[in-house]
Amino acid sequence: VMALYGAPGYSLFTVLPKSPVRGLWFANSRLFAVGGDSLYQVLENGVVSELGRLYTNSDPVSMADNGSQLCIVDGPYGYIFTFNTNEFKLLDDGGWRGSSRVSYQDGYFIFNEPDTGVFYISSLGDGSKVDSLDFASAEGNPDNLVGHLSDHRELWMFGESSVEVFFNSGNP
């Protein structure tokens, strides 16, 4: 059972030029939004500026930041936005495998390879580089990963019917 209730007193803040809104992220005192096939910055006064274009225009995106970069994934594609240069680029490094989710922990962006039990990481401190050898798999139960979450320096890997917890031991 579900009900939607109005919220008197709220007013419209802004409207993105493209819809649907696929994701929001706040980092470095900036609000980022993905609407349709575009990445936007939303200013405090509601003004919206486009920062880059994505190759897809539907389904939710996942976002994470490392303090200097914002990483956006939407399945087959990944993108990096660099805060201090406003550069927006496609993750097309040879190690990119696609991902439905991105997390951040201990200097690394973490991705799950779609339709597998494999997860992989970016280079330390630089989300634009992905080494094809920096991967592991959730092996406690042989199911596909459907998502992951970094919490209290633990990496929770959610499979179709299992959950495994990893941590960064520093051991390659």
Side-chain angles (χ1 to χ4, degrees):
V1 176
M2 183 173 148
L4 297 175
Y5 295 102
Y10 286 107
S11 62
L12 181 64
F13 176 66
T14 194
V15 175
L16 296 180
K18 296 180 184 173
S19 62
V21 175
R22 302 170 57 198
L24 297 170
W25 192 262
F26 186 77
N28 284 14
S29 302
R30 298 165 74 179
L31 176 62
F32 298 94
V34 174
D37 67 351
S38 296
L39 172 65
Y40 299 101
Q41 178 177 335
V42 181
L43 301 177
E44 291 178 10
N45 60 3
V47 172
V48 176
S49 59
E50 185 175 316
L51 302 172
R53 292 275 175 101
L54 286 70
Y55 287 114
T56 61
N57 60 11
S58 62
D59 296 330
V61 298
S62 177
M63 296 188 250
D65 78 273
N66 65 5
S68 61
Q69 297 172 313
L70 173 66
C71 184
I72 304 166
V73 300
D74 65 0
Y77 303 105
Y79 313 88
I80 290 289
F81 177 79
T82 304
F83 296 135
N84 62 357
T85 63
N86 285 344
E87 178 188 21
F88 182 74
K89 69 181 209 172
L90 178 68
L91 277 173
D92 57 3
D93 197 323
W96 175 253
R97 304 168 181 224
S99 185
S100 61
R101 180 104 178 111
V102 60
S103 296
Y104 177 78
Q105 181 176 307
D106 293 340
Y108 300 96
F109 286 109
I110 303 143
F111 311 100
N112 64 294
E113 183 177 352
D115 303 317
T116 71
V118 173
F119 63 97
Y120 60 106
I121 60 174
S122 69
S123 293
L124 180 63
D126 186 0
S128 67
K129 295 185 173 96
V130 179
D131 186 330
S132 60
L133 298 177
D134 285 339
F135 71 93
S137 59
E139 297 175 348
N141 191 11
D143 57 353
N144 292 334
L145 292 175
V146 295
H148 50 88
L149 172 71
S150 174
D151 184 44
H152 294 90
R153 299 193 68 217
E154 294 176 333
L155 184 61
W156 291 70
M157 306 303 286
F158 300 96
E160 293 168 329
S161 61
S162 67
V163 178
E164 292 186 42
V165 182
F166 291 79
F167 70 97
N168 182 0
S169 68
N171 183 354

